[in-house]
Amino acid sequence: INEEIAGGSNATIGLQWDAAQELPGFDRSQSRIGHYIGGSWQLAGAGAAAGSNPYNWSGSGYTSFSPFGVLNSNATLPLLKITFNVVSVPAGNQCTWMVTGGDIESIVLQRSLNGRDFVDVHSAAFSLSDNFTDAIRNATKTFYRLKIIDKNASVKYSNIVWLDSRLVSNPQLYPTLFTQSFFVQYQGYGKALIKIYNESGSMVQQNQLKEGTNEINAARLPSGAYFYQIVKEQNVLTNGQVFKQ
């Protein structure tokens, strides 16, 4: 599905099909809408399809458009993809994340002051993206991670990100959709590295960052989605995803 005029939409999507279009083994009583975005399926809640040949599913709140489909809840789900950042704001440390893939029930934000012992600071039912501002003060270095709980009660953890009060600000990367190069604004002390990985997890490029604005030339990379980490002294300052046209 594409927008006639791109941007600014908040749409309700309706999908309809006949029994003859169902693949062998498809169970419409345990089906759901899927939205393929950012290299993986964003899945709505599972249940019984409405209607009686034709059958239908609908969902609301869609602000971006790409392939949509009706999937079985017992389908193989993609691996988790996590974008997790923390920046300092006047109210505290603002943690922002996007999680796709899996059959997630809830997400818990955890904090540590030593990088080993974590406590829960925020918990919420799963949504594709969320944020929370931790009002902690007077901590030189604060570590955060996400505890991701699926509907079978199994638990996975994100990578650990941290914020050092000596940093003016966390690195900022822009634009995330690029053709030849993108920029990293780094206002830190000392040098850092940006590491770029393909969707298979192999590092395909590495660049050193200096204080100020850094242009990262990625013209040699094929079009597609890439993950990045910005690290200093083997600590992850921030990470995320970029897309090369």
Side-chain angles (χ1 to χ4, degrees):
I1 299 175
N2 297 311
E3 296 172 283
E4 183 174 351
I5 300 175
S9 294
N10 190 334
T12 296
I13 302 297
L15 304 178
Q16 180 176 290
W17 71 97
D18 299 321
Q21 295 174 289
E22 297 175 350
L23 293 173
F26 178 77
D27 181 1
R28 74 179 72 96
S29 69
Q30 288 295 319
S31 58
R32 63 178 81 192
I33 280 189
H35 178 200
Y36 192 79
I37 182 172
S40 62
W41 286 98
Q42 175 189 338
L43 301 175
S52 179
N53 202 18
Y55 305 96
N56 63 82
W57 260 110
S58 65
S60 59
Y62 292 106
T63 58
S64 61
F65 299 87
S66 63
F68 288 83
V70 178
L71 292 74
N72 248 157
S73 62
N74 61 359
T76 300
L77 298 176
L79 297 175
L80 287 177
K81 293 184 180 178
I82 303 168
T83 302
F84 183 31
N85 297 301
V86 56
V87 296
S88 179
V89 297
N93 295 337
Q94 184 181 67
C95 301
T96 304
W97 58 90
M98 176 177 288
V99 181
T100 59
D103 202 5
I104 304 168
E105 180 76 26
S106 61
I107 294 179
V108 180
L109 175 68
Q110 297 185 320
R111 177 218 302 143
S112 172
L113 299 181
N114 60 16
R116 299 184 303 273
D117 305 310
F118 285 84
V119 298
D120 297 351
V121 294
H122 174 70
S123 179
F126 170 69
S127 63
L128 180 66
S129 60
D130 204 351
N131 68 85
F132 178 78
T133 299
D134 183 16
I136 189 171
R137 296 296 186 196
N138 303 319
T140 300
K141 185 178 284 189
T142 313
F143 302 83
Y144 295 94
R145 71 182 182 186
L146 299 177
K147 179 181 179 181
I148 301 166
I149 305 168
D150 70 20
K151 294 181 179 178
N152 295 317
S154 65
V155 174
K156 294 181 176 67
Y157 293 93
S158 73
N159 61 296
I160 297 171
V161 299
W162 57 271
L163 188 69
D164 193 320
S165 62
R166 295 172 293 174
L167 289 171
V168 176
S169 63
N170 257 22
Q172 302 295 314
L173 184 149
Y174 60 93
T176 56
L177 179 64
F178 69 96
T179 55
Q180 298 292 323
S181 62
F182 57 87
F183 297 88
V184 177
Q185 187 71 28
Y186 174 60
Q187 301 296 338
Y189 59 96
K191 294 179 180 178
L193 291 173
I194 179 168
K195 299 181 179 182
I196 303 173
Y197 300 85
N198 61 24
E199 290 192 294
S200 299
S202 300
M203 189 171 70
V204 294
Q205 185 168 323
Q206 176 176 285
N207 296 82
Q208 190 173 78
L209 301 176
K210 64 182 187 300
E211 185 174 355
T213 302
N214 299 261
E215 182 176 5
I216 308 301
N217 188 324
R220 68 179 184 83
L221 296 180
S223 298
Y226 294 88
F227 298 92
Y228 68 86
Q229 286 185 334
I230 297 177
V231 300
K232 182 179 183 295
E233 297 173 356
Q234 298 184 342
N235 293 302
V236 178
L237 301 180
T238 188
N239 60 22
Q241 192 170 23
V242 292
F243 301 89
K244 184 173 187 238
Q245 293 180 313

